[in-house]
Amino acid sequence: MIQRWHKKKTQLPLIALVCFLFVFCTIFFNERRFQEIHRKENRKGDDIGTRNDVKQAFLSKPTPSSLNSSRLKVPPVALDRFSSCKSTVNYSGQKARWDINLIQSDKHEKEKKDSCDLFKGKWVFDNTSYPLYKESECPYMSDQLACHKHGRPDLEYQYWRWQPHGCNLKRWNATEMWEKLRDKRLMFVGDSLNRGQWISMLCLLESVIPPEKKSITPNAPLTIFRAEEYNATVEFQWAPLIVESNSDDPVNHRLDERIMRPDSVLRHASEWEHVDILIFNSYLWWRQGSVKLLWSNEENRVCEEAEGLEAMELAMEAWANWIKSNIDPFKKKVFFVTMSPTHLWSREWESGTEGNCYGEKSPITDEGYWGSGSDLATMRMVDNVVNKLKSRVSIINITQMSEYRKDGHPSIYRKFWESRSAAELANPMSYSDCIHWCLPGVPDVWNELLFHFL
């Protein structure tokens, strides 16, 4: 018994040792495994933390939306002659919110100590110095303005010189003008009247350029005449309402419904910023009834309908905002040509008559004459907008001097693209063009003024 008990006693430490080793190895293995898992979890956590940090850093940066939510909006569909309004409401009176507010200034530069007002004077008959070019010799003459070519029997309209009171207008010199334009772009921007002034400028300038050194692009929204030896261009951009509109096609723009974006000049202004000398005009297209306004942020094609003067003021403000933001007057020159008058009612200069400009052969001599073809409210509005631009824009006031020239319109002596009925042909006054101007003629003097100011 004692021996048997002794045997059992000697086996217990061995079993305990084996159990201890088993437990130790198990604990050691599990500890290693736990540490490995813990390290993996830590690495995983670090990766997640890093990604979260990057995500948080990205989210904390200003996004385009937080900078300007409008940038993420889809740009409005461009207007063209096929554009239409889904519905129309009355103009609400809203104004665009411009980035830069216009600041009223003191009558900018036109009331400086200048002893001579070039815009006040009279027309003097001068068949020695005028015309400055011959209609038949200008290769860029328009059939809409070539009055002698289309049958006008008198030529007196070509021989009138503008004489300011108390001083003289700088005499035209084509070579000197080209020197002013060397390495520059000059651009006329506007309607058919501004196009007429552009054609006048081409006729005044082209004769001193050899044929192989000049070229012109075909009719397009931007038409460019290039003089190689001066590295200069004289251009015309069709933009009758200044802002974007459904009438921006230079050929197909006679539409029953005129629609414009009152807060966007971007379509046209993409060219303006690269031009050295800009000449703008706008007037007659605003006198053809109401205009539909389609704001850039309007997504349902709901238009507002405004009267011409209201709509023109919105367009002028959009134009002025662009000028204020983009024009350095020390680097670029900008001119605005005031309204070109019409002569539709002869009773305004000769009481008792019921005609128009048809058959007129001499200017009006009554100094200060003002007809219904020029709107004073429009002039005041334009003057107010331009005055806010300080020295960035110069006014070329053609209105009063052109008011005297009832004889300067094509009347029936131009190419008409529509056929005339027998009744119209029997009454020439019924289709006389008393809006545009014969060339050579009145627009040449507008360009002489531009030459003087440059």
Side-chain angles (χ1 to χ4, degrees), residues 286-356:
W286 305 106
R287 290 172 63 84
Q288 300 175 17
S290 60
V291 182
K292 303 291 178 66
L293 315 178
L294 184 57
W295 296 86
S296 296
N297 60 0
E298 175 56 56
E299 298 176 352
N300 300 316
R301 297 205 330 270
V302 177
C303 297
E304 295 184 324
E305 188 167 19
E307 294 302 316
L309 182 57
E310 288 178 316
M312 182 179 179
E313 186 171 13
L314 290 172
M316 289 294 295
E317 288 173 351
W319 169 80
N321 181 70
W322 186 91
I323 297 292
K324 182 83 172 180
S325 305
N326 294 275
I327 293 298
D328 180 348
F330 296 103
K331 296 180 180 179
K332 296 175 183 285
K333 293 185 180 295
V334 180
F335 297 90
F336 191 90
V337 179
T338 62
M339 55 194 182
S340 172
T342 59
H343 292 89
L344 303 176
W345 313 105
S346 63
R347 59 177 176 268
E348 294 180 345
W349 61 82
E350 187 177 353
S351 61
T353 61
E354 291 300 325
N356 54 25

Side-chain angles (χ1 to χ4, degrees), residues 88-192:
T88 302
V89 297
N90 291 330
Y91 174 47
S92 63
Q94 70 169 308
K95 299 277 188 176
R97 295 181 179 179
W98 301 120
D99 296 332
I100 298 178
N101 292 323
L102 299 177
I103 301 172
Q104 185 69 40
S105 66
D106 297 328
K107 287 290 180 180
H108 62 97
E109 296 192 358
K110 73 177 185 177
E111 288 188 4
K112 282 186 175 181
K113 299 175 182 178
D114 193 350
S115 59
C116 179
D117 186 347
L118 294 172
F119 309 128
K120 292 182 179 179
K122 62 181 180 180
W123 291 94
V124 177
F125 189 78
D126 181 352
N127 60 359
T128 302
S129 305
Y130 289 79
L132 297 174
Y133 56 89
K134 293 184 179 179
E135 175 194 296
S136 59
E137 294 178 0
C138 178
Y140 310 109
M141 181 60 64
S142 167
D143 277 337
Q144 189 180 35
L145 311 174
C147 300
H148 184 57
K149 174 183 176 180
H150 288 90
R152 181 162 178 168
D154 64 299
L155 294 178
E156 284 81 1
Y157 66 92
Q158 299 183 6
Y159 299 137
W160 294 94
R161 171 174 54 83
W162 178 247
Q163 179 61 59
H165 295 316
C167 57
N168 293 315
L169 189 60
K170 185 177 176 66
R171 175 68 178 170
W172 175 261
N173 185 301
T175 303
E176 184 179 346
M177 183 63 172
W178 276 122
E179 288 298 339
K180 294 176 184 290
L181 298 180
R182 184 179 291 277
D183 300 321
K184 291 182 173 62
R185 290 178 66 185
L186 180 150
M187 182 185 292
F188 293 86
V189 181
D191 57 21
S192 58

Side-chain angles (χ1 to χ4, degrees), residues 204-453:
L204 288 165
L205 285 172
E206 65 84 25
S207 63
V208 298
I209 306 296
E212 68 277 8
K213 296 291 185 179
K214 57 189 175 186
S215 61
I216 193 167
T217 62
N219 191 25
L222 181 63
T223 310
I224 303 173
F225 174 88
R226 184 179 304 278
E228 291 183 20
E229 66 180 284
Y230 290 95
N231 188 34
T233 60
V234 180
E235 310 173 27
F236 172 71
Q237 184 189 58
W238 174 259
L241 299 178
I242 297 183
V243 293
E244 179 183 346
S245 77
N246 66 339
S247 299
D248 287 339
D249 188 305
V251 178
N252 298 309
H253 49 252
R254 293 174 180 254
L255 306 172
D256 294 331
E257 180 180 70
R258 287 178 300 133
I259 307 171
M260 75 173 203
R261 292 202 188 281
D263 53 349
S264 177
V265 296
L266 296 180
R267 172 186 285 178
H268 307 304
S270 60
E271 291 288 349
W272 303 348
E273 58 186 299
H274 306 297
V275 176
D276 302 283
I277 305 167
L278 285 157
I279 303 100
F280 293 91
N281 91 315
S282 191
Y283 173 55
L284 283 175
W285 278 64
W286 305 106
R287 290 172 63 84
Q288 300 175 17
S290 60
V291 182
K292 303 291 178 66
L293 315 178
L294 184 57
W295 296 86
S296 296
N297 60 0
E298 175 56 56
E299 298 176 352
N300 300 316
R301 297 205 330 270
V302 177
C303 297
E304 295 184 324
E305 188 167 19
E307 294 302 316
L309 182 57
E310 288 178 316
M312 182 179 179
E313 186 171 13
L314 290 172
M316 289 294 295
E317 288 173 351
W319 169 80
N321 181 70
W322 186 91
I323 297 292
K324 182 83 172 180
S325 305
N326 294 275
I327 293 298
D328 180 348
F330 296 103
K331 296 180 180 179
K332 296 175 183 285
K333 293 185 180 295
V334 180
F335 297 90
F336 191 90
V337 179
T338 62
M339 55 194 182
S340 172
T342 59
H343 292 89
L344 303 176
W345 313 105
S346 63
R347 59 177 176 268
E348 294 180 345
W349 61 82
E350 187 177 353
S351 61
T353 61
E354 291 300 325
N356 54 25
C357 70
Y358 175 73
E360 295 292 340
K361 297 181 180 180
S362 60
I364 295 169
T365 57
D366 178 17
E367 189 167 334
Y369 166 81
W370 199 268
S372 61
S374 299
D375 182 62
L376 285 171
T378 299
M379 287 204 77
R380 284 192 293 267
M381 180 273 292
V382 169
D383 193 54
N384 183 54
V385 171
V386 172
N387 282 340
K388 296 174 183 178
L389 294 170
K390 298 184 179 180
S391 60
R392 288 179 174 84
V393 178
S394 298
I395 285 285
I396 298 182
N397 189 349
I398 66 164
T399 307
Q400 184 73 80
M401 66 171 62
S402 304
E403 277 279 15
Y404 303 139
R405 292 302 304 275
K406 60 183 172 59
D407 62 311
H409 300 286
S411 67
I412 65 172
Y413 304 110
R414 49 158 286 191
K415 180 178 180 179
F416 291 94
W417 286 269
E418 309 88 1
S419 58
R420 298 296 165 189
S421 65
E424 286 177 319
L425 293 173
N427 180 20
M429 286 184 292
S430 65
Y431 67 97
S432 286
D433 180 351
C434 298
I435 295 173
H436 300 95
W437 301 94
C438 296
L439 289 180
V442 175
D444 302 328
V445 177
W446 304 349
N447 282 321
E448 285 186 282
L449 288 167
L450 178 61
F451 175 62
H452 185 102
F453 291 128

